């Protein structure tokens, strides 16, 4: 009798199916992570720009879903609006610390100025201490990126864990070659749940695409709602029910969703013919 090895167990877990496509006229609500899901990673997140085809696709989907499409990102709302020219869309920024509903109302988690200033001092000190580490200032949160110097991540993580213990009200959020100091008590899962409780998302079948550890909170909420959770990439373990290999495949699948819902598009179609979800 053959015995399973860790490698074969991992391969088995990684064999998630591709996500289905909707039936024509289906009432879906789509929530999308950005970096690593819609956009490829870059050494400097400020240099990333969506191309015209992706912008046209997302705006067409937003119209076809009657506004039930949201961006849920570690980026700020201002940065999302700049990238996607979508200041009227529902969106969650800084992992849910900022939130805007489709009607324009919103909220932002407040942090005591003294706590925020202390966190900024600590983050700047760490960024200066480790060569190649980039600091991204999100005001209430700060991200330290190691994409230019991945070998620095273990030592940076150890130093950041020690530092966050001295920052009341803050927690450390790990991600793909990034560590982020952010206020405790909020994550993408809470933000997704807030969005789904309001029009135009309420009463629709929720679908969430994400690639990173921060998206696992959203996967958990989507699964609890009976929706569709889609991992982008191959990161394990994951709570996601379906998978796509990367941002190009995510864009292709979203094109298929738009086509299946009955809206014309000139963007490319996904490979193969997935099953359709009623």
């Amino acid at each position: 009798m053959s015995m399973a090895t860790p490698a074969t167990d991992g391969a088995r877990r990684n064999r998630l199916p591709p996500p289905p496509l909707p039936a024509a006229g289906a009432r879906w609500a789509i929530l999308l992570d950005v970096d690593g899901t819609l956009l490829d990673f870059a050494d400097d997140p400020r240099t990333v720009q969506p191309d015209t085809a992706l912008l046209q696709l997302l705006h067409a989907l937003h119209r076809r879903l009657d506004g039930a499409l949201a961006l849920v990102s570690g980026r700020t709302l201002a940065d999302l609006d700049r990238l996607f020219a979508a200041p009227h869309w529902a969106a969650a920024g800084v992992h849910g610390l900022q939130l805007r509903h489709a009607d324009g109302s919103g909220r932002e988690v407040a942090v005591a100025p003294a706590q925020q200033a202390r966190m900024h001092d600590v983050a700047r000190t760490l960024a200066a201490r480790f060569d190649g580490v980039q600091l991204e200032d999100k005001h209430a949160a700060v991200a330290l990126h190691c994409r230019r110097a991945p070998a620095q991540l273990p030592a940076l993580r150890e130093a950041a864990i020690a530092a966050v213990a001295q920052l009341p009200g803050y927690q450390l959020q790990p991600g793909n070659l990034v560590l982020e100091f952010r206020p405790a008590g909020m994550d993408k899962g809470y933000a997704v749940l807030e969005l789904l409780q309001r029009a135009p998302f309420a009463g629709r079948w929720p679908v969430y695409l994400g690639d990173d550890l921060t998206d696992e909170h959203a996967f958990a909420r989507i699964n609890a709602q009976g929706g569709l959770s889609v991992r982008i990439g191959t990161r394990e373990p994951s709570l996601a029910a379906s998978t796509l290999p990367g941002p190009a495949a995510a864009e292709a699948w979203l094109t298929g969703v738009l086509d299946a819902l009955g809206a014309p598009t000139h963007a490319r179609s996904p490979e193969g013919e997935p099953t359709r979800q009623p």
Side-chain angles (χ1 to χ4, degrees), residues 252 269-274:
S269 297
E271 295 180 4
E273 180 63 23

Side-chain angles (χ1 to χ4, degrees), residues 75-86:
R75 292 178 182 263
T76 64
L77 290 184
D79 202 20
L80 294 176
D81 293 346
R82 175 187 64 84
L83 282 171
F84 295 97

